[in-house]
Amino acid sequence: MSVIKLFPLSSVVLPEGKMNLRIFEPRYKRMISDCCKAGEGFGICLISEPGISSPSNISRVGTLAEIIDFEQLSDGFLGVTIVGTRRFRVKKVWSEFDGLRCGEVENLNNWDSRELSRDNLFISDQLQRVYQRFPEIKSLYSHCFFDDATWVSQRWLELLPIEQQQFEHLISQADCDEALRFLSQAIET
């Protein structure tokens, strides 16, 4: 078990995924500063009800994120680029003096990479179309692994609006099989 700072969001990053954040709240500026000083990451968890600060409204499965770049944005906000490194299960959550949440977490094994089956190639094709239509998402990645079932399914789970309970179920699995079944039904060919 380890203790990490938690950043609840209405979107997620999963292992090997990247995300740009705009940080403006003092508690999250402190989180970024503390993590940079300590050379450690923080946890991203899916929030079920944005605007409601409660330990019970965050997903019980999340991803440890490492800071790979940051900059001061023209609007005065802090721009931070993160990469997801590993999954974890939240065992206990509490809030610090300024409302920053921390959690005791247990690491989970990441899904192994494997080749995408022919039956699921359309999931990859549709992801490539999304990346063509939204180049700002694709620009986060120097390499895309459209032939890897795990990489493709995790990128889709980051993009799709999924309810917290469904997200927790899918990402808690030992491999990407359940996610692929879900995606094959959710994504139109």
Side-chain angles (χ1 to χ4, degrees), residues 119-120 122-123 178-189:
D119 294 340
N120 290 318
F122 74 96
I123 297 171
E178 186 75 17
L180 287 171
R181 281 191 285 280
F182 169 79
L183 293 168
S184 68
Q185 294 174 347
I187 299 169
E188 296 178 14
T189 57

Side-chain angles (χ1 to χ4, degrees), residues 99-150:
L100 179 65
R101 286 181 249 195
C102 294
E104 186 176 285
V105 301
E106 169 186 59
N107 292 332
L108 298 173
N109 292 328
N110 287 343
W111 294 343
D112 290 333
S113 294
R114 66 169 198 241
E115 191 172 337
L116 196 61
S117 72
R118 298 189 112 195
D119 294 340
N120 290 318
L121 286 177
F122 74 96
I123 297 171
S124 176
D125 293 342
Q126 294 291 57
L127 183 63
Q128 290 177 62
R129 287 188 181 118
V130 168
Y131 279 22
Q132 287 170 356
R133 188 164 179 207
F134 300 98
E136 65 275 13
I137 298 171
K138 186 179 184 311
S139 70
L140 290 169
Y141 299 95
S142 56
H143 301 331
C144 295
F145 302 96
F146 293 116
D147 60 342
D148 184 326
T150 292

Side-chain angles (χ1 to χ4, degrees), residues 68-79:
I68 56 174
D69 195 15
F70 60 91
E71 64 180 325
Q72 192 71 37
L73 301 175
S74 60
D75 58 10
F77 292 171
L78 178 62

Side-chain angles (χ1 to χ4, degrees), residues 10-24:
S10 57
S11 57
V12 295
V13 66
L14 296 170
E16 299 181 55
K18 294 182 180 176
M19 179 186 283
N20 289 323
L21 301 173
R22 292 167 43 92
I23 307 294
F24 57 91

